[in-house]
Amino acid sequence: MSSAMSAKIGRSPTASSPERPSVPAPFTLAPRKVAIVARDWGVESAPHVFRHWEVTPHIPRLIQFCAEEGCDTVIFSLWTHCRRLAGKLTDDELFPVPGRHLAVLAGEVFDCENEKGWKKERVVVANRGRRGVASVRLEQHFARTKDRKWTKEKFLRDLPARTFGGTLVMLCGEVNIISTTRAGKVVDPFRFRRKLDELDIRLILNPAHTYSRLHWLKEKRRVLSRAGRTVVTVWNAGNTAKGEPSVPWLVHRDGTLLGKDEVKEVDRAQLPVQGVRIGIIKL
């Protein structure tokens, strides 16, 4: 979870500015083979702090590569694309392979020239099916367990827009909708796991910004994967000041962390672009 996103997100709603109801997602997602794409800041070549955005012009090549590997869904780590450098992601960029069913999840940052601008991120969830292309843009509502209650309630009201059939999108620290104690007990004040059961959620896509060493975040993802669900998390690699696992993703299935045999990393020598790592999982 990033320090930029850890700050207070949004403004408290007021009586004078009522919120519009969440619009249900316009399509469903039932992935069978998912490509997990993480940018690797450690090998990107630009020497300045904004090197993260070097991958921006290569997003279509990466999506095409994943599609050619037989993947029907591509999930990027957040801070994927900079609109200030390259404009809004278009359908042609998101779906470079004609005629193939595909879904893509990527984060669009409005201004990448300063850290303050990174907070203005919209996460694109786009799908091309038989009826053509449809997409929605989501926002992260909160990042920490201690964030204000109204931000979590806003997230819960937004669930219809994030529910794509049996697939739910949770952004970065939104897994903090549940809590854990030092003794390992799960605290679920919003009865969120019951909502997952009621919605029949089988897959949670949880892209993140950077790796967090907070052990309870990993535990929360494991807990959310119980009852036969799969939780897929991916972050930007190379934030070495914090220390990181050997791969920049975590996949939990039914309470168990999957290993390298289940989430297979593509040989980096075969990748069309350097500065990324790609794992593939069959669901």
Side-chain angles (χ1 to χ4, degrees):
M1 178 173 55
S2 74
S3 59
M5 297 302 292
S6 299
K8 177 182 171 183
I9 299 176
R11 295 182 178 179
S12 176
T14 65
S16 61
S17 59
E19 294 184 30
R20 290 177 294 180
S22 179
V23 178
F27 51 86
T28 62
L29 296 176
R32 294 184 178 181
K33 190 174 183 180
V34 177
I36 308 167
V37 184
R39 300 207 323 281
D40 189 347
W41 297 348
V43 300
E44 292 179 354
S45 61
H48 53 79
V49 69
F50 304 116
R51 66 188 185 280
H52 316 340
W53 313 106
E54 285 190 2
V55 77
T56 289
H58 304 299
I59 289 174
R61 292 178 62 196
L62 290 167
I63 294 172
Q64 180 175 351
F65 175 83
C66 295
E68 290 172 351
E69 291 293 310
C71 298
D72 55 28
T73 302
V74 184
I75 173 175
F76 285 87
S77 52
L78 296 183
W79 291 334
T80 314
H81 173 80
C82 180
R83 287 180 63 165
R84 190 172 188 271
L85 292 180
K88 184 178 178 180
L89 282 168
T90 66
D91 290 350
D92 288 341
E93 290 173 315
L94 292 171
F95 302 104
V97 181
R100 183 175 296 180
H101 180 92
L102 189 67
V104 179
L105 193 155
E108 281 185 336
V109 173
F110 283 78
D111 184 0
C112 54
E113 291 300 317
N114 59 76
E115 185 172 341
K116 189 175 181 179
W118 299 356
K119 296 181 184 180
K120 297 180 180 180
E121 182 173 30
R122 301 293 182 270
V123 177
V124 183
V125 185
N127 180 71
R128 183 175 63 194
R130 294 179 179 177
R131 298 183 179 181
V133 175
S135 64
V136 297
R137 281 172 166 78
L138 307 174
E139 298 180 44
Q140 183 177 348
H141 291 307
F142 69 97
R144 304 172 297 179
T145 303
K146 63 182 180 180
D147 283 344
R148 295 185 179 185
K149 181 180 178 182
W150 70 263
T151 63
K152 299 172 184 177
E153 292 172 340
K154 186 176 182 181
F155 163 77
L156 294 172
R157 289 194 297 271
D158 200 32
L159 283 180
R162 297 157 168 268
T163 304
F164 302 86
T167 300
L168 175 68
V169 175
M170 298 180 72
L171 304 176
C172 200
E174 288 176 342
V175 293
N176 286 311
I177 193 71
I178 63 172
S179 303
T180 54
T181 66
R182 292 184 180 277
K185 181 181 178 182
V186 177
V187 181
D188 190 357
F190 298 98
R191 298 184 177 181
F192 183 67
R193 289 178 296 165
R194 178 179 294 184
K195 289 180 172 62
L196 294 178
D197 291 338
E198 292 171 351
L199 293 169
D200 195 24
I201 298 299
R202 313 315 301 160
L203 173 65
I204 297 175
L205 299 178
N206 176 226
H209 297 93
T210 57
Y211 176 69
S212 173
R213 290 190 296 174
L214 301 176
H215 66 87
W216 54 81
L217 272 177
K218 182 177 179 180
E219 175 62 12
K220 289 173 184 179
R221 288 163 174 141
R222 187 186 71 81
V223 168
L224 291 175
S225 76
R226 290 175 180 168
R229 282 183 286 272
T230 300
V231 178
V232 179
T233 303
V234 57
W235 59 86
N236 296 300
N239 193 20
T240 54
K242 294 183 179 180
E244 297 181 351
S246 59
V247 293
W249 49 71
L250 293 172
V251 180
H252 290 88
R253 178 178 291 160
D254 199 17
T256 300
L257 178 64
L258 301 187
K260 295 180 180 180
D261 290 338
E262 292 91 355
V263 187
K264 299 184 181 297
E265 181 169 7
V266 177
D267 185 342
R268 277 176 265 187
Q270 298 178 5
L271 296 177
V273 177
Q274 295 303 302
V276 297
R277 295 175 67 178
I278 298 178
I280 295 178
I281 179 173
K282 293 182 179 180
L283 300 176

